[in-house]
Amino acid sequence: MRKILLLLVFLSGCKKDETLFTLLDSGKTGVDFNNYIDEDEENNVLRYGYFYNGGGVAAADFNNDGLVDLYFTGNMVANRLYLNRGDMEFEDISEKSGTGLNEGWKTGVSLVDINDDGWIDIFVCRAGAQDPRLRTKLLYVNNGKTADGIPTFTEKAAEYGLDDASYTTQAVFFDYDRDGDTDCFLLNHSLQEYAGFSNLLASYRQQRNDAYGNKLLRNDSGRFTNVTDSAGIVSNVLSFGLGVNVNDFNNDGWQDLYIANDYNENDYLYLNERNGKFKEVIRESMGHVSLFSMGTDAADINNDGLMDVLTLDMLPGSNERIKLTSGDDNFDKYQQLLRAGFHDQSMRNMLQLNNGVNPEGVPVFSEIGQLAGVSNTDWSWAALIADFDNDGWKDIFISNGYARDYTNMEFLKYSADRQVEGNQGGDMPKQMEIIAQMPPINEPDYIFQNRKDLTFVRKIKEWGFENNNQSNGAAYADLDNDGDLDLVTNNIGRKAFIYRNNAEKMLAGNNTFRVKLVSAKYAGLAGSKVTLYSDSLTQTQNFIPVRGFQSAQWDALHFGLGTRTRIDSLEVQWADGSRQAVKNVSGKEITLRYGDARNVADKSAGPAPLWRPVPLIDFTHIEDARNDFRIQTLLPAMLTYQGPHLAQTDINGDGIDDFYIAGARGQSGGFVAER
């Protein structure tokens, strides 16, 4: 018996990490940031609808010592900067660096080298506060580091004309007009009075408010100018932007914009027209989008060289939770939004697979979220697509959770009952009493492994994400320089999570490669695209720091290779269209410099598609308005909307096939004879 006990003790002492990720203790890492929210009569979700949306996190090497540091934004607490001292240990240098702001409601954090001096700067967005002074953006310009390695910063937003006072979720810096300097897009959000469903929705699309609508700021000799209207950017009071990603969706070498909109307004997809203007093409590109779009990311999930789009929503994974939150997504509302001129929207995550461009050069997507198995992840925030297991295929991480679920049907019934009691002579419920009854959503973060066939498998338990929490902003980076991507989340009312990736030990047979891009100008860097060729595997990534939700990361591009050991070649297309290629690459990392690139003519939008629509049939199928679910709520699917049906045969005996199109109820069909 004694020998058995000794053996058990020995085995427990030798126990290694059993999951791909390990949640590190804050006592070891030194990262004790807690985005604590203090609710009271003046500060609560009934007064500010985005009270529980949380803050962001930025991962970047701020002191140029080769280690990635961390910066967190706090809604009601001070922002914090942690310097990476190696071995997953961090030092809080918030006060010493001059970045520990404790004023206003801080939201997204962005990264940029605004003055092209080689030191990464920090841009902090703010919202929430009624006082415009407390909503102005903050630009912390990096002064370099002191003798003990601590970077210091000076706030200079006003100097650059970036002290905007709108309600901003996130900002992204890139050179949209390719004139050699860095421009800025501000993702803004409106207030709760415009969030509800009403007959005024259509008219709201024409209403403007400078504090609510999105903005495009052009860099003119170091000062930023608002060019929103002339550039074709939609900026109305229905703008509830929660996510933004910049990417080249039609492969023409110019950066486009995808905007994820919450509430009733549909998402926007802006194609860069290469003349300083954008064209909004969401209806031509996507058949439907998320309803309450939150975080978003864009990456190539199937290694075909085309950038796909993931948007997050609120659809839960369990049947019970689906029933409890079904009030916000119903067929009648869906139809009314369509009649008001909005695009098709459904309350679930959407994974848009890029199929290439149509004859007009517009990218066309197939929505495969349900097919891929990533459509239901509850209230979700950060969407991050990256190769976490180093097999050469990008996986998906999703942060989620919410402090108080005001859409819960049981809570809504309780609230309505209390209101009725008050109207009938009972005590009227107090505001904080009602808020206290809103149930929290505590869920583990979701992580999915790419199965290499357009589907993903859930790996929450196997990869170490079983902790229930309320996480919002998130970022990935190789924090310990061991060749795999670690994860960081900014949590509500709980210390930030740092997950160490154990792939270098658990999946030691999978190789990796890093590509570091260096440019004298940030404008030439942001939007650069790298393509790696390794045997039969081709991978494509682009460099844009802003990812997911309110967050950003600036690190070398990380490529998993699986068991492959050879890289045939690398190609980089810099943001201004310049290109370079490197063949017979060896080692684990390479640095590519813009100065070695060569200018080439703009690449076309790609080859013409094999199929082209030809308008030969004058028939439009018009369904009669009917809601089958009002008749039978338990129907698994609508039965009325099954048309149009089509029959093909040689009806007139001339040896050429004809066809008949059936009409809907009350509509005549159409007979088409080939001539």
Side-chain angles (χ1 to χ4, degrees):
M1 176 62 71
R2 185 171 179 271
K3 290 183 178 180
I4 294 176
L5 290 175
L6 288 173
L7 178 61
L8 290 174
V9 171
F10 174 77
L11 290 175
S12 64
C14 294
K15 184 178 179 181
K16 296 182 179 180
D17 295 305
E18 296 179 350
T19 57
L20 185 61
F21 286 86
T22 300
L23 176 60
L24 301 181
D25 183 82
S26 61
K28 179 189 182 304
T29 65
V31 176
D32 57 356
F33 177 80
N34 185 336
N35 190 23
Y36 177 74
I37 303 296
D38 187 16
E39 300 173 275
D40 55 34
E41 294 287 347
E42 296 297 320
N43 301 286
N44 58 67
V45 72
L46 299 182
R47 290 182 175 269
Y48 179 49
Y50 285 163
F51 192 76
Y52 304 123
N53 283 24
V57 55
D61 182 5
F62 294 112
N63 63 346
N64 287 344
D65 67 348
L67 295 170
V68 174
D69 313 304
L70 298 174
Y71 184 79
F72 297 87
T73 60
N75 300 140
M76 304 178 78
V77 300
N79 297 344
R80 304 278 284 275
L81 176 59
Y82 293 89
L83 192 67
N84 191 336
R85 291 301 192 182
D87 195 28
M88 286 293 197
E89 294 180 359
F90 295 79
E91 176 188 352
D92 186 347
I93 60 166
S94 308
E95 298 304 320
K96 295 178 182 178
S97 65
T99 61
L101 175 74
N102 196 22
E103 274 194 317
W105 187 274
K106 287 82 68 184
T107 52
V109 53
S110 305
L111 299 171
V112 62
D113 185 359
I114 198 71
N115 54 3
D116 297 323
D117 64 352
W119 297 87
I120 300 174
D121 310 309
I122 302 172
F123 189 75
V124 176
C125 302
R126 294 193 287 181
Q130 294 184 358
D131 183 352
R133 182 186 66 85
L134 296 178
R135 297 197 307 265
T136 56
K137 315 300 169 286
L138 298 148
L139 174 63
Y140 292 106
V141 176
N142 196 328
N143 304 313
K145 61 184 177 182
T146 61
D148 55 355
I150 294 177
T152 64
F153 297 79
T154 303
E155 203 289 305
K156 295 185 177 182
E159 181 178 317
Y160 286 87
L162 288 169
D163 53 338
D164 176 88
S166 48
Y167 290 80
T168 303
T169 304
Q170 181 66 298
V172 58
F173 291 87
F174 68 110
D175 184 9
Y176 80 93
D177 51 4
R178 284 184 23 175
D179 64 350
D181 53 27
T182 301
D183 310 303
C184 178
F185 181 86
L186 296 181
L187 178 74
N188 293 338
H189 70 77
S190 189
L191 296 186
Q192 211 66 21
E193 62 185 286
Y194 298 105
F197 189 80
S198 76
N199 294 328
L200 299 175
L201 276 177
S203 63
Y204 284 163
R205 304 189 93 180
Q206 311 306 318
Q207 279 193 27
R208 300 288 300 272
N209 187 306
D210 187 64
Y212 306 157
N214 296 327
K215 296 178 182 178
L216 181 64
L217 308 178
R218 185 183 64 208
N219 190 332
D220 294 327
S221 302
R223 292 280 301 180
F224 286 80
T225 304
N226 189 337
V227 294
T228 304
D229 293 337
S230 61
I233 301 298
V234 177
S235 182
N236 58 37
V237 296
L238 290 180
S239 298
F240 283 91
L242 290 185
V244 55
N245 63 61
V246 171
N247 225 303
D248 179 9
F249 294 111
N250 59 354
N251 273 359
D252 67 349
W254 292 67
Q255 299 305 304
D256 311 308
L257 276 165
Y258 189 94
I259 309 301
N261 276 316
D262 195 6
Y263 293 115
N264 299 302
E265 181 68 299
N266 51 250
D267 295 356
Y268 307 137
L269 174 57
Y270 293 106
L271 284 192
N272 196 324
E273 296 196 282
R274 316 187 203 183
N275 57 3
K277 298 180 180 180
F278 289 87
K279 179 182 179 182
E280 208 286 298
V281 297
I282 195 73
R283 287 166 178 78
E284 296 95 319
S285 287
M286 298 177 180
H288 51 270
V289 296
S290 303
L291 176 57
F292 303 107
S293 299
M294 297 181 181
T296 179
D297 198 8
D300 181 8
I301 66 162
N302 59 339
N303 289 335
D304 65 350
L306 301 173
M307 293 299 161
D308 313 301
V309 179
L310 175 64
T311 59
L312 303 183
D313 209 304
M314 300 161 41
L315 188 62
S318 69
N319 182 60
E320 179 187 13
R321 286 278 303 138
I322 289 175
K323 297 299 187 292
L324 286 172
T325 60
S326 61
D328 279 323
D329 191 20
N330 62 77
F331 187 76
D332 288 333
K333 176 182 177 181
Y334 177 85
Q335 291 296 321
Q336 290 182 55
L337 284 174
L338 290 181
R339 288 193 290 270
F342 296 85
H343 192 33
D344 297 71
Q345 303 173 80
S346 295
M347 194 186 80
R348 57 179 172 82
N349 301 343
M350 301 285 176
L351 181 56
Q352 307 280 358
L353 183 70
N354 194 331
N355 300 312
V357 298
N358 66 13
E360 289 73 42
V362 175
V364 179
F365 295 81
S366 297
E367 200 284 300
I368 61 168
Q370 291 174 309
L371 168 70
V374 299
S375 59
N376 299 44
T377 57
D378 224 297
W379 282 54
S380 303
W381 301 103
L384 296 176
I385 307 174
D387 188 358
F388 296 113
D389 59 357
N390 295 333
D391 66 348
W393 296 76
K394 297 175 186 64
D395 313 300
I396 295 175
F397 172 82
I398 296 175
S399 67
N400 62 11
Y402 205 60
R404 300 197 184 277
D405 182 10
Y406 48 77
T407 67
N408 183 285
M409 301 292 281
E410 290 181 345
F411 162 74
L412 293 175
K413 183 181 185 303
Y414 162 81
S415 178
D417 290 346
R418 288 301 313 273
Q419 192 70 36
V420 170
E421 291 175 9
N423 293 335
Q424 293 177 347
D427 293 334
M428 290 297 293
K430 296 181 179 180
Q431 187 178 75
M432 291 307 297
E433 179 185 347
I434 292 293
I435 291 175
Q437 296 302 315
M438 296 179 183
I441 301 175
N442 291 308
E443 292 280 324
D445 293 327
Y446 279 69
I447 194 160
F448 298 90
Q449 183 183 35
N450 194 327
R451 299 176 67 177
K452 310 174 187 179
D453 59 358
L454 300 182
T455 67
F456 293 79
V457 59
R458 189 183 302 178
K459 291 287 186 177
I460 296 174
K461 180 179 180 180
E462 298 89 335
W463 285 9
F465 291 90
E466 290 187 279
N467 290 280
N468 288 338
N469 63 92
Q470 299 162 18
S471 58
N472 306 103
Y476 58 77
D478 189 356
L479 298 176
D480 50 3
N481 287 341
D482 64 352
D484 48 34
L485 295 175
D486 309 299
L487 279 163
V488 184
T489 66
N490 189 341
N491 307 323
I492 289 285
R494 193 170 181 178
K495 291 181 181 178
F497 286 170
I498 296 181
Y499 288 96
R500 184 186 64 219
N501 192 329
N502 305 308
E504 86 286 356
K505 294 180 292 185
M506 294 187 64
L507 302 171
N510 285 352
N511 299 304
T512 63
F513 192 79
R514 287 162 50 93
V515 179
K516 185 177 181 181
L517 301 177
V518 177
S519 172
K521 282 194 167 187
Y522 176 82
L525 180 63
S528 298
K529 180 169 62 177
V530 173
T531 303
L532 179 148
Y533 301 91
S534 177
D535 295 331
S536 60
L537 184 69
T538 301
Q539 298 183 63
T540 303
Q541 290 190 50
N542 76 318
F543 177 83
I544 282 286
V546 168
R547 299 276 177 182
F549 177 70
Q550 295 193 12
S551 300
Q553 60 236 5
W554 188 323
D555 198 9
L557 296 179
H558 172 93
F559 292 88
L561 301 176
T563 58
R564 299 166 187 83
T565 57
R566 175 177 150 217
I567 297 174
D568 302 310
S569 64
L570 279 171
E571 293 181 1
V572 57
Q573 176 181 300
W574 296 90
D576 67 353
S578 302
R579 298 171 184 272
Q580 68 186 102
V582 182
K583 296 184 178 181
N584 300 319
V585 182
S586 60
K588 292 284 187 179
E589 181 174 326
I590 191 172
T591 297
L592 300 177
R593 302 182 183 280
Y594 173 81
D596 298 329
R598 58 185 178 86
N599 294 320
V600 296
D602 277 345
K603 186 180 179 182
S604 67
L610 297 176
W611 300 90
R612 186 182 300 273
V614 181
L616 296 179
I617 304 169
D618 186 17
F619 181 88
T620 302
H621 183 87
I622 303 174
E623 287 284 5
D624 55 330
R626 187 177 298 272
N627 184 355
D628 292 355
F629 300 124
R630 281 183 175 270
I631 302 170
Q632 175 52 267
T633 58
L634 297 180
L635 282 174
M638 296 280 282
L639 300 177
T640 297
Y641 295 87
Q642 294 186 4
H645 295 281
L646 187 70
Q648 173 194 359
T649 189
D650 180 9
I651 298 177
N652 56 7
D654 62 356
I656 301 175
D657 280 347
D658 313 299
F659 55 91
Y660 179 83
I661 305 176
R665 181 179 180 181
Q667 179 189 19
S668 299
F671 171 64
V672 180
E674 181 69 27
R675 296 175 183 175

